PDB file of all heavy atoms in Angstrom:
ATOM      1  N   GLU X 417     -13.343   7.367  22.269  1.00 98.00           N
ATOM      2  CA  GLU X 417     -13.977   6.044  22.274  1.00 98.00           C
ATOM      3  C   GLU X 417     -14.142   5.596  20.831  1.00 98.00           C
ATOM      4  O   GLU X 417     -14.694   6.324  20.001  1.00 98.00           O
ATOM      5  CB  GLU X 417     -15.348   6.110  22.960  1.00 98.00           C
ATOM      6  CG  GLU X 417     -15.240   6.334  24.456  1.00 98.00           C
ATOM      7  CD  GLU X 417     -16.599   6.329  25.154  1.00 98.00           C
ATOM      8  OE1 GLU X 417     -17.629   6.470  24.465  1.00 98.00           O
ATOM      9  OE2 GLU X 417     -16.612   6.207  26.388  1.00 98.00           O
ATOM     10  N   TYR X 419     -15.660   2.674  18.398  1.00 98.00           N
ATOM     11  CA  TYR X 419     -16.613   1.562  18.359  1.00 98.00           C
ATOM     12  C   TYR X 419     -16.313   0.660  17.164  1.00 98.00           C
ATOM     13  O   TYR X 419     -16.084   1.146  16.060  1.00 98.00           O
ATOM     14  CB  TYR X 419     -18.048   2.098  18.296  1.00 98.00           C
ATOM     15  CG  TYR X 419     -18.378   2.895  19.532  1.00 98.00           C
ATOM     16  CD1 TYR X 419     -18.233   4.286  19.553  1.00 98.00           C
ATOM     17  CD2 TYR X 419     -18.771   2.240  20.692  1.00 98.00           C
ATOM     18  CE1 TYR X 419     -18.492   5.008  20.709  1.00 98.00           C
ATOM     19  CE2 TYR X 419     -19.029   2.951  21.858  1.00 98.00           C
ATOM     20  CZ  TYR X 419     -18.884   4.334  21.856  1.00 98.00           C
ATOM     21  OH  TYR X 419     -19.117   5.039  23.010  1.00 98.00           O
ATOM     22  N   ASN X 462     -16.447  -4.257  26.203  1.00 98.00           N
ATOM     23  CA  ASN X 462     -17.873  -4.207  25.861  1.00 98.00           C
ATOM     24  C   ASN X 462     -18.181  -5.100  24.658  1.00 98.00           C
ATOM     25  O   ASN X 462     -18.882  -4.690  23.730  1.00 98.00           O
ATOM     26  CB  ASN X 462     -18.300  -2.749  25.596  1.00 98.00           C
ATOM     27  CG  ASN X 462     -18.076  -1.863  26.812  1.00 98.00           C
ATOM     28  OD1 ASN X 462     -16.937  -1.752  27.289  1.00 98.00           O
ATOM     29  ND2 ASN X 462     -19.124  -1.274  27.332  1.00 98.00           N
ATOM     30  N   MET X 473     -15.578  -2.118  21.888  1.00 98.00           N
ATOM     31  CA  MET X 473     -15.061  -0.754  21.845  1.00 98.00           C
ATOM     32  C   MET X 473     -13.676  -0.693  22.473  1.00 98.00           C
ATOM     33  O   MET X 473     -13.219  -1.641  23.121  1.00 98.00           O
ATOM     34  CB  MET X 473     -16.002   0.214  22.549  1.00 98.00           C
ATOM     35  CG  MET X 473     -16.183  -0.054  24.022  1.00 98.00           C
ATOM     36  SD  MET X 473     -17.079   1.278  24.837  1.00 98.00           S
ATOM     37  CE  MET X 473     -15.856   2.574  24.848  1.00 98.00           C
TER      38      MET X 473
HETATM   39  C1  NAG T  11     -18.931  -0.572  28.518  1.00 91.70           C
HETATM   40  O1  NAG T  11     -18.976  -1.432  29.642  1.00 91.70           O
HETATM   41  C2  NAG T  11     -18.827  -0.730  30.884  1.00 91.70           C
HETATM   42  C3  NAG T  11     -18.682  -1.755  31.996  1.00 91.70           C
HETATM   43  O2  NAG T  11     -19.592  -2.796  31.809  1.00 91.70           O
HETATM   44  C4  NAG T  11     -20.023   0.186  31.055  1.00 91.70           C
HETATM   45  O3  NAG T  11     -19.875   0.907  32.277  1.00 91.70           O
HETATM   46  C5  NAG T  11     -20.076   1.159  29.908  1.00 91.70           C
HETATM   47  O4  NAG T  11     -21.225   1.953  29.961  1.00 91.70           O
HETATM   48  C6  NAG T  11     -20.069   0.438  28.575  1.00 91.70           C
HETATM   49  N1  NAG T  11     -19.888   1.435  27.518  1.00 91.70           N
HETATM   50  C7  NAG T  11     -20.597   1.452  26.409  1.00 91.70           C
HETATM   51  C8  NAG T  11     -20.333   2.582  25.461  1.00 91.70           C
HETATM   52  O5  NAG T  11     -21.426   0.601  26.153  1.00 91.70           O
END
Side-chain angles (χ1 to χ4, degrees):
E417 290 183 343
Y419 297 95
N462 300 59
M473 63 171 288

